[in-house]
Amino acid sequence: LGFACDEGVKRNQGRTGAAGAPDVLRKALANLASHDGHNRLVDLGNIVAQAPDLEGAQQALRNAVQRCQQENMRTFVLGGGHETAFAHGAGVLDAFPQAKVGIVNFDAHLDLRKAEQATSGTPFRQLAPLCDEQQREFHYACIGVSRAANTQAPWAEAQRLGVTVVEDLHCDTAQAQLAQFIANLDVIYL
């Protein structure tokens, strides 16, 4: 699924251009050699976010992911900015209401910003209250976090939420921490 969206990045005062990413990424991936199993891949096109309606586009992506997951299709979303993570994660949570779902993010940023509206810096902070609404635990691990890329506020939020954090300077411990994190989970959103 493509998520052609600049609105989350724009709201986060970032550089726009992410809306063109799904088609650029498809073009780049098309040049890779194909081996066994690629006949299972299905391109479901792009969900296009019409500014300023990020929330409407996120809901459309969330619904598409939920439907795919319920049909036993793995989903791979080509963004857009990191605002794709909320919609993709919410769709996975919706598809598996009884499962222990874990979220694994490889990123220098925690993306736990507090903001008045959704941005590319808020997706995991948005997923935490969704887990509360669904009466489930919030299981989030962020691997490769940089002290230089996050203010104190997201660090405090990560601690409050019990996030598993592996800093970029300590990735040598990531495999063991990740194994411990996923040991008791049913589904993983990566």
Side-chain angles (χ1 to χ4, degrees):
L1 290 161
F3 192 67
C5 181
D6 270 333
E7 188 62 23
V9 174
K10 182 178 169 186
R11 289 180 185 182
N12 206 33
Q13 287 84 50
R15 291 175 296 216
T16 58
D23 293 336
V24 171
L25 289 168
R26 282 186 185 95
K27 186 176 179 182
L29 292 170
N31 291 324
L32 296 176
S34 181
H35 298 280
D36 293 335
H38 286 100
N39 58 335
R40 297 177 302 157
L41 296 176
V42 178
D43 187 347
L44 298 175
N46 290 340
I47 292 171
V48 178
Q50 300 295 329
D53 189 21
L54 171 60
E55 291 75 13
Q58 284 180 318
Q59 187 62 52
L61 179 58
R62 179 180 179 173
N63 293 343
V65 167
Q66 180 184 10
R67 284 191 307 273
C68 289
Q69 292 286 332
Q70 288 174 332
E71 293 294 324
N72 293 317
M73 297 171 69
R74 292 184 179 159
T75 49
F76 184 75
V77 177
L78 303 170
H82 214 178
E83 67 276 6
T84 60
F86 169 70
H88 197 175
V92 171
L93 288 166
D94 294 345
F96 301 99
Q98 304 305 316
K100 286 180 76 173
V101 176
I103 302 160
V104 178
N105 179 28
F106 292 95
D107 197 342
H109 304 99
L110 289 161
D111 288 334
L112 291 168
R113 285 192 179 165
K114 183 177 181 179
E116 296 296 319
Q117 57 185 346
T119 76
S120 61
T122 63
F124 304 108
R125 189 167 187 133
Q126 290 174 264
L127 286 170
L130 178 62
C131 287
D132 285 343
E133 285 174 31
Q134 294 182 351
Q135 298 181 341
R136 63 193 326 158
E137 293 180 37
F138 179 62
H139 301 283
Y140 173 41
C142 193
I143 313 298
V145 181
S146 172
R147 288 260 171 205
N150 296 274
T151 64
Q152 187 57 42
W155 283 101
E157 186 66 4
Q159 186 173 18
R160 185 185 75 79
L161 292 170
V163 175
T164 298
V165 175
V166 179
E167 291 186 48
D168 56 352
L169 300 175
H170 305 287
C171 282
D172 56 325
T173 67
Q175 185 175 1
Q177 289 189 55
L178 203 49
Q180 182 179 1
F181 175 77
I182 65 173
N184 295 312
L185 297 173
D186 303 316
V187 175
I188 298 170
Y189 162 53
L190 177 67

